[in-house]
Amino acid sequence: MSTSIDKLIETTQALLWERGYVGTSPRAIQDGAGVGQGSMYHHFRSKAELALAAEERSAAELIEEVRQILDGPGEPLERVLTYLRLERDILKGCRIGRLAADPDIVADDTLRKPLEETFAWITARLADLLHEAQARGHLPPGLDSQALAATVLAVRQGGYVLARAANSTAPYEQAIEGMVSLLTRRPEGSD
């Protein structure tokens, strides 16, 4: 059973993803959560405080979803490829990534912090796996695993932007498959 706090946070998560910070009014949050103004402001002093709680929950949910893949079974490179191909509602984009395009979120260090921390965690975990894949001979020596991890994340996030701009999943899928082909390409003369 959801509490009014949970309903407020869940509603705010959905509205931030769909409408952004400015487009998420306290009235829309209250209506969506089925709570009154008094209840909302009893639990959260401001819209910004509620938005931060929603961002933190979205970040935690994303990290847990990604952790299950990246810490799961299989070779390190295969886990990275599974992450790249993770099914999503491509045209809606990433709950965290979409907020990075919101000027009100990025202008506020407190509201921006969960985004930065989430992407830093994903990048670091990808870098560890890519370094391990390199040590096992599955990637060429000399690659900067940290830079490669940032590229993997950028391809995913950028793919969402391209898909939304085209109103088609094709650009996203093409970007992901391009990254996969780069990661799995064997140098000439290798067996």
Side-chain angles (χ1 to χ4, degrees), residues 83-104:
Y83 164 74
L84 273 166
R85 291 179 170 145
L86 179 64
E87 286 296 319
R88 289 262 183 244
D89 186 347
I90 295 167
L91 295 178
K92 280 186 82 174
C94 170
R95 281 186 181 211
I96 297 298
R98 288 228 13 217
L99 295 177
D102 189 314
D104 293 293

Side-chain angles (χ1 to χ4, degrees), residues 8-14 16-17 20-21 44 47-63 95-100 102 104-119:
L8 286 164
I9 292 172
E10 289 165 6
T11 300
T12 305
Q13 283 179 282
L16 286 173
W17 192 11
Y21 186 76
F44 300 97
K47 173 183 158 180
E49 186 178 296
L50 177 52
L52 180 62
E55 284 182 65
E56 288 172 342
R57 184 173 293 177
S58 291
E61 290 168 357
L62 178 60
I63 286 173
R95 281 186 181 211
I96 297 298
R98 288 228 13 217
L99 295 177
D102 189 314
D104 293 293
I105 299 268
V106 296
D108 183 316
D109 287 342
T110 302
L111 292 175
R112 185 187 47 75
K113 190 174 180 82
L115 285 58
E116 179 184 11
E117 290 174 347
T118 301
F119 288 143

